[in-house]
Amino acid sequence: MTLWNAGNFLVESPRSVLTFLPLLGAESASVIMNKEAPLSIAERDFILDALREDVRLDGRAADQLRPLNISFGEEYGHVKVQLGQTSLVVRISSEVTKPHDDRPFDGIFTIAMELTAMGSPAWENGRQGDLETYITNVLDRVIRHSNALDTESLCVLKGVSCWSVRADVHITDYDGNLIDASCIGIMAGLQHFRRPDAVVKDGQVIVYGLDERVPVPLNITHKPLSITFHTFDEGKRVILDATRKEEQASEADVIIGMNNAGDVCFLSKFSGSPVDAMVFVTKTTTALEKVKEINGIIDKALQGDLTKRAKRGLAEESRAENDR
């Protein structure tokens, strides 16, 4: 068991490497995390007083998720996620390209996010802000750095060609907890996506259309998700899946990235007030419960989509494995 020093606290990790981002002051936290119109003093006090009485504005318990709905489009890898009033669309795409020179056996996986005025009037079209960069970096560490997608399986011809897989996240309505909602959408999209089949003949890469060969699913090694907590009242109150107003009233955020096996692949205390180490210890158990719950919802949605495609005569195309 290893003790990791994270500035203001120590965290125990029995199995996993923990990733920490630097601590910032409370003022920096509000600038990076939210450029929405600030809460009034009365609103902030009302939210805090209610939490002291174990009451949230929407009636949820402290560790309760908002209603989660996941739906898939006709195109493979097209996902819509609705978490409470927060909604987003994820699109997974792929193309054949040249691998990086330092990783000739690996394919490429990238995550991109776009925050536009459609999601919130506080966001500007075509201009990347701190919030967009921050969320993209967290998603990159939770999913890509934990090797959720096996990039070696994306290699077509060593050093010559590989598959480049891209996950684009578009926020359509913002009411808090963008990180968790985006992570859910990306992981659901990666599991739903099918790339065209490709073979190498005489040194040339031949890519078959979806109508020529059964498309190939991506190789998912594990299913990590992020679970975000926010603290209030000098760390005495900790809630899960905060709304936009709860985020604005909070003192700090804690993000735990974990898979169904309980492996912690990411842990962040990025900004705001200090958080006691016991918050990480106690909330890791809650995070594992929520990861299993959310992955169960994703699996159910995937199975439902498979059933719909089978009824339309597309069962062969939707198969999770190829016979080749």
Side-chain angles (χ1 to χ4, degrees):
M1 183 171 290
T2 306
L3 284 176
W4 298 80
N5 193 335
N8 289 11
F9 48 81
L10 293 174
V11 178
E12 293 182 330
S13 173
R15 288 187 287 181
S16 310
V17 176
L18 306 183
T19 303
F20 291 96
L21 299 177
L23 294 173
L24 298 178
E27 291 184 1
S28 299
S30 61
V31 171
I32 288 181
M33 289 306 299
N34 209 321
K35 290 188 178 181
E36 303 286 325
L39 293 177
S40 66
I41 296 177
E43 283 181 302
R44 190 180 300 272
D45 289 344
F46 182 80
I47 292 173
L48 182 55
D49 289 341
L51 288 174
R52 286 171 177 159
E53 300 295 329
D54 294 324
V55 176
R56 297 177 70 173
L57 298 185
D58 53 9
R60 284 183 293 148
D63 291 339
Q64 184 179 353
L65 285 169
R66 287 173 289 178
L68 173 61
N69 181 64
I70 301 171
S71 57
F72 299 99
E74 293 293 327
E75 182 183 356
Y76 286 122
H78 188 271
V79 188
K80 180 179 180 181
V81 175
Q82 184 88 32
L83 181 61
Q85 296 300 314
T86 295
S87 63
L88 56 88
V89 175
V90 174
R91 181 177 180 270
I92 310 295
S93 58
S94 64
E95 63 177 355
V96 176
T97 186
K98 186 179 183 297
H100 296 309
D101 292 336
D102 58 338
R103 301 189 71 91
F105 289 100
D106 279 8
I108 301 171
F109 175 43
T110 55
I111 297 173
M113 169 171 279
E114 183 179 12
L115 302 183
T116 66
M118 177 185 292
S120 170
W123 301 335
E124 298 181 32
N125 292 337
R127 182 176 180 179
Q128 187 176 37
D130 293 331
L131 177 61
E132 189 173 323
T133 303
Y134 168 69
I135 295 175
T136 302
N137 287 338
V138 172
L139 295 173
D140 196 60
R141 290 175 180 270
V142 173
I143 300 174
R144 189 175 69 86
H145 282 240
S146 69
N147 297 319
L149 174 62
D150 179 16
T151 52
E152 288 188 6
S153 65
L154 300 177
C155 179
V156 180
L157 188 60
K158 174 194 170 183
V160 177
S161 60
C162 69
W163 285 101
S164 174
V165 176
R166 177 184 172 99
D168 288 286
V169 183
H170 303 275
I171 310 300
T172 55
D173 198 2
Y174 168 53
D175 188 32
N177 204 5
L178 290 181
I179 293 176
D180 293 0
S182 300
C183 193
I184 292 169
I186 293 172
M187 287 307 302
L190 290 175
Q191 294 174 69
H192 184 257
F193 183 68
R194 303 288 188 271
R195 64 167 177 80
D197 193 17
V199 297
V200 179
K201 290 185 178 180
D202 300 325
Q204 298 294 320
V205 178
I206 300 175
V207 179
Y208 292 95
L210 298 183
D211 56 340
E212 296 177 299
R213 282 200 178 183
V214 178
V216 182
L218 300 177
N219 186 12
I220 307 298
T221 60
H222 69 131
K223 303 173 183 178
L225 293 172
S226 64
I227 303 297
T228 302
F229 299 90
H230 283 80
T231 63
F232 300 81
D233 198 15
E234 297 181 351
K236 298 182 182 70
R237 307 289 172 179
V238 184
I239 65 171
L240 171 75
D241 185 24
T243 63
R244 178 176 58 84
K245 288 189 176 183
E246 287 174 334
E247 285 182 347
Q248 289 179 288
S250 69
E251 297 171 349
D253 66 300
V254 171
I255 305 171
I256 301 175
M258 184 180 288
N259 60 21
N260 278 14
D263 299 317
V264 178
C265 53
F266 178 81
L267 186 58
S268 168
K269 162 61 181 70
F270 183 69
S271 55
S273 303
V275 175
D276 190 271
M278 288 308 298
V279 171
F280 291 84
V281 176
T282 58
K283 292 305 175 182
T284 298
T285 302
T286 303
L288 178 58
E289 294 173 357
K290 298 305 174 182
V291 165
K292 291 180 177 180
E293 177 184 339
I294 295 170
N295 272 326
I297 295 173
I298 294 175
D299 291 342
K300 185 176 180 180
L302 288 167
Q303 187 58 45
D305 181 76
L306 179 65
T307 302
K308 289 180 181 178
R309 291 175 182 272
K311 289 181 179 179
R312 294 198 303 264
L314 300 178
E316 181 70 19
E317 215 175 280
S318 305
R319 232 184 259 153
E321 296 180 359
N322 272 313
D323 295 330
R324 293 181 298 281

